[in-house]
Amino acid sequence: MKAVDNACFEVQEGEVFGLIGPNGAGKTTIFGCLLALTQPSAGTIKIDGMSPFDLDVKSQLGFLPERPCFNRWMTIKQFLAYHHWIAGRPASERESEIKRVLALVELDIDINRRKVKEMSRGMLQRVGIAQALIGHPRIFFLDEPTSGMDPLGFILIRKLLLKCKEDGMTIVLNSHHLNEVEKVCDRIAFIRKGKIEEVANVAALSEVRQVLNVSWLAGVNESTALEAAAESTGCKLLETTGETAKFAVSGNEKAADIIASLTASGLRVYASHFERRELVELFLNAPEPESGGGGSKHAN
């Protein structure tokens, strides 16, 4: 059984690209291949035209693993200084760089005394992000960045990623927290059972995920009117319950057309409002990929 099967996608410079899917879908395996931590059995991976196994690529990358496993005996300052040295950065910049990355993750503690082993899961995640940002990497990989975070941590991650994007950084992240992903990503790839089902633009998804709720007074043949409205406008009738119905619409024009059609059919519409279908609902309702078949691990 393949962990990843023919996963093909491209990430544009300066965008935030998200891999989303349930646990065990293959997200971390793809990350392992992209970061040269796992050797794919087939396929091609290029980062700026180079293999991820090329040493010249390494200085351009920052990486937060899903389960950080750091040197527990080190103090936070020693840990960050060590990674600054590994990154080959000038020693004269070390103090200021450590202060910069700690400020980015809003970690205000005694870094000279506090040891890695004394940190909570959420604090460890912040330190992991700080070390990944040392040296101003051009490409930032985050594997489940909100793991172990409280609600304030979610907000911090969102703010930090948007700041990194403003600075021109390319960001690739994976998560099963779909509601958080869609707030920062430009594009997302839906992955399930090792297969990428679709790569979609988040802004475009927001447009097509509007749902119009319509309520009317009883009195005419509702089913005929609803079917006619759906057919004439090209909008899908999602469900109907009593004197209410839901239509998938792409904007205000289509919503107005539906209400006009229902009114023309004799329905006395007295209320309507939009609701937004969550990304998680869209993903869960998508058809599952076919099992079997060929393919190989592949990412561009």
Side-chain angles (χ1 to χ4, degrees):
M1 180 178 179
K2 295 183 175 71
V4 176
D5 190 1
N6 196 32
C8 186
F9 60 91
E10 294 183 359
V11 180
Q12 305 300 321
E13 185 175 0
E15 79 170 331
V16 182
F17 187 91
L19 284 168
I20 68 172
N23 291 327
K27 305 186 299 296
T28 296
T29 301
I30 290 176
F31 261 44
C33 295
L34 294 174
L35 292 160
L37 301 174
T38 300
Q39 176 69 58
S41 57
T44 303
I45 302 171
K46 294 294 183 181
I47 299 176
D48 277 351
M50 296 180 285
S51 165
F53 289 91
D54 193 322
L55 292 179
D56 291 336
V57 173
K58 304 301 183 182
S59 62
Q60 303 179 40
L61 309 181
F63 172 48
L64 173 71
E66 180 181 9
R67 297 181 182 88
C69 185
F70 302 140
N71 304 89
R72 292 171 53 81
W73 57 270
M74 286 184 171
T75 65
I76 297 169
K77 184 174 182 179
Q78 288 172 333
F79 173 75
L80 294 176
Y82 173 61
H83 279 271
H84 189 270
W85 174 75
I86 289 178
R89 310 300 295 180
S92 60
E93 300 175 358
R94 193 157 295 157
E95 292 288 335
S96 61
E97 181 70 352
I98 290 174
K99 289 180 180 178
R100 182 186 73 85
V101 295
L102 286 174
L104 286 173
V105 298
E106 300 179 7
L107 197 58
D108 184 17
I109 56 178
D110 186 350
I111 64 172
N112 293 297
R113 294 187 178 183
R114 195 71 173 266
K115 293 186 177 182
V116 172
K117 67 181 180 181
E118 299 170 345
M119 304 186 71
S120 67
R121 182 70 178 85
M123 291 175 66
L124 191 63
Q125 199 79 347
R126 294 190 189 212
V127 171
I129 295 172
Q131 67 83 22
L133 291 174
I134 284 177
H136 301 271
R138 291 181 54 245
I139 307 172
F140 190 13
F141 290 91
L142 300 98
D143 192 354
E144 298 289 358
T146 54
S147 178
M149 289 281 196
D150 57 18
L152 289 178
F154 277 61
I155 296 172
L156 167 68
I157 295 295
R158 187 189 317 156
K159 182 171 66 174
L160 175 61
L161 294 183
L162 293 175
K163 171 67 168 58
C164 290
K165 181 183 177 183
E166 285 179 7
D167 293 340
M169 191 180 295
T170 301
I171 301 169
V172 184
L173 64 93
N174 79 51
S175 179
H176 60 273
H177 293 292
L178 309 189
N179 294 337
E180 288 300 315
V181 168
E182 68 176 323
K183 293 173 184 175
V184 298
C185 288
D186 299 301
R187 291 189 303 140
I188 51 177
F190 294 87
I191 181 170
R192 182 157 44 191
K193 295 184 178 179
K195 291 179 178 289
I196 291 182
E197 299 178 352
E198 181 183 3
V199 177
N201 182 285
V202 172
L205 283 175
S206 296
E207 293 179 2
V208 301
R209 282 189 290 124
Q210 285 183 309
V211 174
L212 178 69
N213 281 268
V214 182
S215 301
W216 61 87
L217 299 175
V220 299
N221 189 334
E222 291 93 345
S223 61
T224 300
L226 295 173
E227 292 171 4
E231 183 177 355
S232 65
T233 61
C235 297
K236 184 178 180 180
L237 176 62
L238 300 174
E239 64 179 73
T240 177
T241 306
E243 283 76 51
T244 63
K246 295 183 178 182
F247 292 87
V249 298
S250 57
N252 293 338
E253 290 289 336
K254 288 294 185 181
D257 290 343
I258 288 173
I259 294 172
S261 175
L262 294 176
T263 302
S265 298
L267 260 66
R268 300 168 63 193
V269 176
Y270 69 85
S272 65
H273 67 275
F274 283 118
E275 71 177 44
R276 191 163 170 270
R277 298 178 72 191
E278 296 295 335
L279 188 59
V280 63
E281 180 184 353
L282 188 71
F283 180 77
L284 291 175
N285 290 336
E288 293 199 11
E290 296 181 2
S291 60
S296 60
K297 295 178 184 176
H298 184 92
N300 292 323

